[in-house]
Amino acid sequence: MEKLFYKSQKRKRLLRVSSSSVREGEGVGKDLISLLPEPLLCHILSFLTTEQAVWTSVLSSRWRHLWKLVPRLELDSADFTNDQVCVDFIHKFLALQGKSYLREFKLTIDHDVFDGEARLYEPCLGRVLLDMRKFERFQVENRFKLDRVCYIAIPLTLSVCEALVCLKLHFVKLNVEFVSLSLPCLKIMFLEDVFLPSDAAAEALISSSPVLEVLKICLSKDDVVVALRVCSPSLKSFTLKRVQRRFYVRGHSVVIDAPKLEYLSLMDYYHFRSFKIISMADFVKVDIDVVFVLMTDSLSEKTIIDNLLSNFSGVKDMTMSWRTLQFINSSHQTNPLPKFHGLTCFRATMCLKASPELLPVVLESCPNLKHLTLELVIYPFAVMTSLSTVRLPPCLVSSLESVEMESPVTEVATELRLARYFMKNSTKLKKLVLRLNQSSSTGVKHKPSVLEQLMDSPRCSSLCHFEVIPVVPTPNQSMGPDQW
């Protein structure tokens, strides 16, 4: 609190200078904002962080105590001199507010600023959680150094949360079973690196809301969940992320029963022995960006992958990363990839050097594909392959209508060979767009005559519209090997 008020006093001196300058001018209008009703002023302050709301106490006597009545508490421990000062401020704020005002609570505990005592927060968080009947949003986030993992054991007993709409927890420990949990209004739930005590507790928490729409789970490396069941009649978006562990045991499984599910994202380390989707919406978008991790039994790579992909044979829209695509292809060297008969829209990231060999293989598994989007990237350890045209994938002959590619410019012009491949073999193609990244770091550019020859290349489809667009990449578009 002392740091917050120090900042507010500093701003008070600045405001005095500013107000005196205004009085020396032509005139000053009335302070109409301060004449607004107190509830409306508190509503305006609720759009600010608690620190910013405290700053307004120096405006005038009318504003001095308004911040104490704001129904929202948002704090970052980094704004205090130490954890104890932050905890004391929370206790004082709750004492000033009482239970009838607070609707939103957000606490960020930053362990990078100073080595604090995480357990200091347990009593005040327990006090906050004593009465959550009218809470609409509750969020606790832990930030810490990469070499340090610090859990906060929160006695989260949410037996009655009548108004809670959004629940976001990051690096906390839930040590209750949620036997009588009821969250009738909860629509958004983020459980990132949250320790869940059992399979039953995880299922009860997910199923506690009849109106849940967005669910994001990052399974903690130390949790004990073996069988994750996601059963929700209202769920529309589900993201599942798994952090890396040193050892994986047999038996981990995922079951999804969500008849309204429209978006599914799988991220990072995939280690599940079984993955089964009982129900989802007729049109669902699937985004897969995982590294497959073998377990400690003899289950083969191909079996693990086929178990996952068999759930998506009828999916119409899919996005897949290069690391996932590469692993799937390597595990099916002697066998064809699974067929995605329902897939009409496919987005993928591919290594530019490996794309000539891999692209026909991928297209072969998508016989009814209509729209293809490729992001071609340079990976320094990839081996250059040749473009195979021995057997044309069925979709090139019968269904493919549009192709969009984004690629860096290379000396060997692999990206141009891929464009010619589609122009020469796609009988139904209506649109082909090639976005060329003109990177100043490589200094590679195509000769104008090369692009002109490409534009004049023969086209199998008379309706094909071909377009080349230069793109200047931004710094955050660059991707290094550690991101694969």
Side-chain angles (χ1 to χ4, degrees):
M1 184 180 289
E2 59 187 45
K3 189 172 181 179
L4 295 181
F5 278 106
Y6 170 76
K7 291 182 178 180
S8 67
Q9 292 300 318
K10 184 177 180 181
R11 282 165 175 76
K12 185 173 184 178
R13 292 193 295 269
L14 294 175
L15 286 169
R16 285 173 178 171
V17 174
S18 176
S19 60
S20 63
S21 300
V22 173
R23 284 194 293 270
E24 293 173 359
E26 297 179 356
V28 181
K30 292 183 178 180
D31 182 6
L32 298 179
I33 295 181
S34 296
L35 298 178
L36 295 175
E38 186 175 278
L40 184 55
L41 292 177
C42 290
H43 178 71
I44 294 173
L45 292 181
S46 69
F47 292 96
L48 306 177
T49 65
T50 301
E51 180 182 10
Q52 293 168 340
V54 172
W55 296 346
T56 64
S57 63
V58 303
L59 293 175
S60 68
S61 58
R62 177 78 166 88
W63 292 80
R64 184 170 301 165
H65 302 289
L66 282 178
W67 67 272
K68 302 176 183 178
L69 303 178
V70 176
R72 181 173 184 263
L73 181 59
E74 179 179 346
L75 297 176
D76 190 328
S77 66
D79 293 328
F80 297 85
T81 54
N82 55 59
D83 283 323
Q84 186 62 60
V85 176
C86 181
V87 169
D88 291 342
F89 180 86
I90 295 175
H91 281 299
K92 292 177 181 179
F93 185 88
L94 295 176
L96 292 171
Q97 275 248 340
K99 297 180 179 180
S100 59
Y101 286 100
L102 203 58
R103 296 293 181 271
E104 299 182 26
F105 180 86
K106 178 180 179 181
L107 174 63
T108 301
I109 306 172
D110 199 327
H111 301 280
D112 291 344
V113 178
F114 41 77
D115 292 332
E117 291 292 334
R119 293 188 177 276
L120 289 175
Y121 292 91
E122 291 185 28
C124 69
L125 289 176
R127 183 179 176 186
V128 172
L129 295 170
L130 281 177
D131 187 1
M132 291 186 62
R133 287 178 176 270
K134 297 182 179 180
F135 268 44
E136 297 176 1
R137 289 173 176 82
F138 182 82
Q139 179 174 347
V140 175
E141 179 180 357
N142 278 275
R143 296 197 200 124
F144 53 87
K145 299 175 183 178
L146 294 177
D147 59 348
R148 177 181 176 184
V149 179
C150 182
Y151 286 106
I152 300 178
I154 302 178
L156 196 60
T157 53
L158 307 179
S159 58
V160 179
C161 293
E162 299 173 350
L164 192 64
V165 175
C166 179
L167 175 65
K168 295 183 179 181
L169 302 176
H170 179 250
F171 273 99
V172 300
K173 182 179 180 180
L174 306 182
N175 48 9
V176 291
E177 292 291 337
F178 311 114
V179 177
S180 58
L181 186 62
S182 176
L183 305 172
C185 296
L186 189 68
K187 292 187 176 182
I188 300 173
M189 184 189 299
F190 286 6
L191 305 174
E192 300 188 47
D193 296 291
V194 171
F195 180 90
L196 297 166
S198 66
D199 296 350
E203 183 176 359
L205 182 58
I206 295 170
S207 305
S208 60
S209 172
V211 295
L212 185 64
E213 296 183 356
V214 180
L215 174 62
K216 182 176 181 179
I217 297 179
C218 176
L219 294 174
S220 167
K221 66 178 182 178
D222 297 319
D223 65 37
V224 295
V225 175
V226 175
L228 178 64
R229 293 183 57 85
V230 179
C231 303
S232 172
S234 57
L235 190 64
K236 296 182 179 180
S237 175
F238 177 42
T239 298
L240 178 60
K241 181 178 179 181
R242 179 68 182 185
V243 296
Q244 188 177 17
R245 300 179 67 172
R246 181 173 298 180
F247 300 106
Y248 292 91
V249 297
R250 70 172 69 223
H252 284 73
S253 64
V254 176
V255 175
I256 300 176
D257 186 2
K260 293 186 178 181
L261 189 66
E262 299 175 350
Y263 176 76
L264 173 63
S265 175
L266 303 177
M267 302 173 62
D268 287 354
Y269 294 90
Y270 181 90
H271 75 283
F272 302 106
R273 179 186 181 91
S274 173
F275 191 98
K276 184 177 182 180
I277 299 179
I278 297 177
S279 66
M280 57 183 177
D282 293 334
F283 185 87
V284 58
K285 293 183 178 181
V286 176
D287 190 343
I288 306 177
D289 180 15
V290 297
V291 174
F292 290 92
V293 180
L294 296 183
M295 294 169 286
T296 54
D297 57 14
S298 59
L299 204 62
S300 70
E301 296 178 358
K302 184 178 181 300
T303 302
I304 295 174
I305 296 172
D306 288 349
N307 176 265
L308 170 66
L309 298 182
S310 62
N311 293 280
F312 307 130
S313 60
V315 168
K316 298 180 180 179
D317 192 312
M318 183 182 295
T319 300
M320 192 172 292
S321 69
W322 162 244
R323 61 180 183 177
T324 302
L325 199 58
Q326 182 185 33
F327 197 96
I328 292 175
N329 182 58
S330 63
S331 67
H332 287 76
Q333 290 293 338
T334 57
N335 299 288
L337 291 176
K339 297 289 185 181
F340 300 99
H341 293 282
L343 196 62
T344 59
C345 182
F346 185 56
R347 289 171 292 274
T349 303
M350 286 189 185
C351 172
L352 187 57
K353 290 183 178 181
S355 59
E357 177 187 16
L358 183 58
L359 184 58
V361 177
V362 173
L363 294 177
E364 180 71 26
S365 65
C366 310
N368 298 308
L369 189 65
K370 291 185 177 182
H371 308 285
L372 175 65
T373 301
L374 295 176
E375 181 183 1
L376 303 171
V377 294
I378 296 177
Y379 184 54
F381 304 108
V383 179
M384 188 67 190
T385 59
S386 58
L387 188 58
S388 173
T389 57
V390 176
R391 184 177 185 277
L392 292 179
C395 68
L396 291 182
V397 180
S398 62
S399 61
L400 193 62
E401 296 180 357
S402 70
V403 176
E404 294 191 24
M405 296 188 296
E406 182 168 340
S407 170
V409 176
T410 61
E411 292 183 0
V412 294
T414 305
E415 63 279 7
L416 303 187
R417 288 194 292 133
L418 291 177
R420 288 194 186 95
Y421 174 77
F422 286 110
M423 295 172 66
K424 180 180 178 181
N425 299 300
S426 300
T427 61
K428 304 292 184 180
L429 195 63
K430 298 178 182 179
K431 178 182 178 182
L432 175 60
V433 177
L434 176 59
R435 293 182 171 86
L436 295 175
N437 286 337
Q438 305 289 341
S439 176
S440 58
S441 60
T442 61
V444 179
K445 293 184 179 181
H446 292 307
K447 295 179 180 179
S449 59
V450 174
L451 291 177
E452 290 177 2
Q453 293 174 9
L454 179 62
M455 298 293 291
D456 295 333
S457 297
R459 308 177 190 185
C460 186
S461 173
S462 59
L463 300 176
C464 179
H465 173 71
F466 180 44
E467 187 175 359
V468 178
I469 303 175
V471 177
V472 179
T474 57
N476 60 359
Q477 284 181 306
S478 60
M479 183 177 293
D482 58 331
Q483 294 176 276
W484 298 90

